[in-house]
Amino acid sequence: MNAHAGAVASTFNTKVQIEDGWLQGASSAGVLSFKGVPYAAAPVGNLRWRAPQAALHWSGVRQAMVFGADCPQTPTPGDDAVLQTRFDENCLFLNVWRPAGDTRHLPVMVWIHGGAFVNGGSSAPIYAGSLLAKRGVVVVSINYRLGRLGFFGFPALTKEHPEEPKGNYGYLDQIAALKWVQRNIAAFGGDPRNVTVFGESAGGMSVHMLLTSPMARGLFAKAIIESGAGRGGPDGPERFLGEDKPGLPSAETIGVNFARAQGIAGNDAAALAKLRALPADKIVSGLNMAVLGFMLATRQTPTFAGPMIDGRVVVETPDQAYLAHRQARVPLIIGANSADLSLDFASSTEQALAPFGARADDAKALYDPTGNADYRLVAAEVGADRYMVEPARFTARTLSAQGIPVYEYRFSYVAQSMRSQGIAGAPHASEIPYVLQTIDARYGPSVTKTDRAVADLASGYWVNFARTGNPNRNGLAHWPRYESKSDELLDFHADGTAEGEADPWKARLDLTAAAANDGSKAAH
């Protein structure tokens, strides 16, 4: 703990002292909250596209009762994570919830939101940490830079401040936030030696980065990855900061092209100064998850680099690190949903099965055994298996073989109010309000008794894991530790129960893994 971070919040005192000064939080329903706490300096002006710098100290008591600004973005219509604050480039804030009382050395859970690295923020009600904190943990949620403000390459950027990492500024923010937690969380009653990082989608991909980045070592003790994949490709990154590959332009090339589209010629310091002078909304330029999806579907030239191999924060893809035993050795929960995200777009069953190559006939027997399946459903199942479900099992297999405690899940429960809409299974991100116990924020008065029971179940497993590294406790269905030989996971069933069982999708995922390995061999 920082020498100045000494005053611990209690039931009767919502003030805490951290390294940068005093905070005044709020108390409600047995939970203390501290919102909008800066963990780094505002990344504006000449700090745009710089590694996060130290937050400024303040005098007096800083009010920490409302969320700080979320990072600049264009919201995606229909997104469940509806943000509640303004957008501003000064957005490097985090929030802390803890149970009231004088308890110390509580487990800490740090939530990293998703949103394809272009959307999201910590102010969304479904990301609130108050109900999870009531289970006896300190919950932290963080903002990090998004879109071209968070992941950007440019030749003049690479040349300036050579001592600093470049490109993955959003990832650097996450690392800075975890360092803040190590220095300050004891002031809130948290144990810096017992930190669990957890995230979904881009947040889960971020946890892969934290597991494999040399810069994140020692910052956490456990990890949870929800629908965050685990192989190269979409969760890669396979793109490089400064080196063009066939069909894969570098982040620097994309940055130069973006500058040109903004009427800025060249790639020198003068061009960089003009880029830094652009308003944030010009940098965002309408980018959101829907735009990214359309670009993928139509194979347009990329205008957003996304996470990249920069050589310092990210040195290789997750699967490369896992196969070479170069990741952090910490207990892990990993899994995906039963109707998870697919990035496959097809106009026929044959096209949907094309990724299996010479194994397409075997795939047809598994995904369309009668020959009458809707090709759109086949494409959705194939895509979800390729991009989310099998990579999660690959990670579980690879790390468990190294003796690391791994627990795999599949989330198949659909809120009862949503079932009349003909949903085939649990969609991407639909487990979040159950894990965080924020189902009321997501479903409002439609929440049922069974919905609440599933939320109690899911959040209970997650908190148990954060506490001990094992999700099991008396009263819960046994969650078997993953082993390749038994291939067992915990399934949150559609009826609201949970059961440890051999993976019923084994044949599909074995074939998906074989096709992925075929592609990897062909690439090399």
Side-chain angles (χ1 to χ4, degrees):
M1 183 176 72
N2 184 278
H4 300 290
V8 178
S10 73
T11 307
F12 308 106
N13 179 17
T14 54
K15 288 184 182 178
V16 297
Q17 185 184 20
I18 62 172
E19 61 181 351
D20 294 318
W22 284 89
L23 293 170
Q24 174 66 62
S27 177
S28 177
V31 174
L32 306 182
S33 63
F34 302 83
K35 298 175 180 175
V37 181
Y39 66 84
V44 299
N46 287 334
L47 294 186
R48 179 186 281 180
W49 299 312
R50 288 277 307 278
Q53 307 295 306
L56 300 178
H57 297 267
W58 59 83
S59 58
V61 179
R62 180 186 176 100
Q63 298 299 301
M65 300 185 186
V66 297
F67 291 109
D70 286 316
C71 295
Q73 60 193 276
T74 300
T76 297
D79 190 355
D80 293 339
V82 181
L83 303 179
Q84 304 295 303
T85 68
R86 71 192 189 283
F87 300 134
D88 194 285
E89 208 168 345
N90 179 13
C91 62
L92 299 186
F93 301 105
L94 54 74
N95 317 289
V96 182
W97 293 266
R98 60 146 293 151
D102 289 322
T103 305
R104 315 251 179 134
H105 308 302
L106 294 171
V108 181
M109 300 183 72
V110 179
W111 171 253
I112 304 175
H113 71 76
F117 298 105
V118 297
N119 283 133
S122 63
S123 72
I126 66 166
Y127 297 155
S130 55
L131 291 173
L132 203 61
K134 279 190 173 183
R135 302 193 77 127
V137 296
V138 177
V139 180
V140 179
S141 66
I142 67 173
N143 288 348
Y144 56 95
R145 282 172 281 181
L146 302 168
R148 299 181 190 92
L149 291 166
F151 300 89
F152 190 72
F154 197 73
L157 267 176
T158 303
K159 293 176 182 176
E160 72 169 19
H161 303 291
E163 75 283 2
E164 294 180 359
K166 303 294 167 57
N168 289 307
Y169 304 104
Y171 279 166
L172 286 165
D173 295 340
Q174 295 172 13
I175 291 170
L178 287 173
K179 289 180 176 178
W180 184 98
V181 167
Q182 286 297 309
R183 298 191 305 269
N184 292 286
I185 206 63
F188 302 88
D191 184 353
R193 298 164 300 178
N194 191 13
V195 173
T196 299
V197 290
F198 70 131
E200 184 273 341
S201 195
M205 296 170 191
S206 297
V207 176
H208 280 295
M209 177 277 296
L210 293 168
L211 283 167
T212 57
S213 174
M215 294 186 65
R217 291 299 161 84
L219 297 180
F220 56 95
K222 306 176 189 73
I224 301 173
I225 299 172
E226 303 171 27
S227 299
R231 290 188 182 270
D235 65 309
E238 293 183 328
R239 190 184 309 283
F240 285 80
L241 171 61
E243 182 182 357
D244 292 322
K245 296 285 188 179
L248 198 65
S250 70
E252 288 186 358
T253 295
I254 292 173
V256 170
N257 291 339
F258 174 75
R260 189 177 299 120
Q262 298 298 315
I264 298 172
N267 58 22
D268 57 7
L272 176 58
K274 291 177 182 178
L275 281 167
R276 282 192 168 128
L278 287 174
D281 62 347
K282 290 285 188 182
I283 303 294
V284 175
S285 193
L287 186 64
N288 65 12
M289 289 188 286
V291 171
L292 277 184
F294 179 77
M295 291 174 65
L296 279 169
T298 56
R299 304 186 188 280
Q300 291 189 16
T301 301
T303 63
F304 168 56
M308 68 203 75
I309 296 175
D310 67 282
R312 297 179 66 178
V313 181
V314 179
V315 298
E316 57 192 337
T317 60
D319 51 335
Q320 290 169 341
Y322 298 149
L323 290 169
H325 301 203
R326 285 192 285 262
Q327 80 292 333
R329 296 181 60 87
V330 300
L332 174 69
I333 284 176
I334 189 167
N337 295 355
S338 61
D340 217 313
L341 177 69
S342 170
L343 298 177
D344 280 0
F345 306 95
S347 56
S348 67
T349 298
E350 289 70 26
Q351 190 176 358
L353 299 176
F356 290 96
R359 303 176 188 268
D361 288 343
D362 294 333
K364 184 174 177 61
L366 291 170
Y367 290 96
D368 185 16
T370 66
N372 298 317
D374 187 323
Y375 72 86
R376 291 166 294 188
L377 178 60
V378 173
E381 291 181 344
V382 168
D385 285 355
R386 292 179 63 221
Y387 291 109
M388 290 295 167
V389 183
E390 191 283 327
R393 191 186 72 158
F394 162 81
T395 302
R397 287 193 159 196
T398 306
L399 299 191
S400 65
Q402 299 173 31
I404 296 171
V406 181
Y407 299 87
E408 188 189 7
Y409 74 89
R410 183 159 306 132
F411 193 84
S412 305
Y413 184 77
V414 177
Q416 291 186 315
S417 62
M418 303 295 289
R419 296 181 186 182
S420 62
Q421 299 182 17
I423 296 174
H428 188 63
S430 63
E431 87 291 348
I432 293 173
Y434 296 92
V435 166
L436 293 174
Q437 287 199 295
T438 54
I439 51 173
D440 288 292
R442 172 63 182 89
Y443 299 110
S446 300
V447 172
T448 67
K449 181 179 178 181
T450 304
D451 295 341
R452 293 196 191 284
V454 175
D456 286 340
L457 194 64
S459 60
Y461 281 119
W462 262 234
V463 168
N464 295 339
F465 179 79
R467 189 173 287 123
T468 68
N470 184 328
N472 291 291
R473 68 167 170 79
N474 292 337
L476 293 178
H478 179 67
W479 187 339
R481 181 168 160 172
Y482 186 85
E483 295 180 357
S484 295
K485 182 170 63 175
S486 57
D487 200 29
E488 290 181 310
L489 47 65
L490 186 81
D491 197 331
F492 293 89
H493 289 308
D495 64 1
T497 61
E499 182 182 6
E501 60 188 21
D503 192 341
W505 293 359
K506 174 178 169 55
R508 275 167 48 174
L509 301 184
D510 284 350
L511 187 65
T512 302
N517 291 332
D518 291 345
S520 179
K521 291 174 183 176
H524 295 88

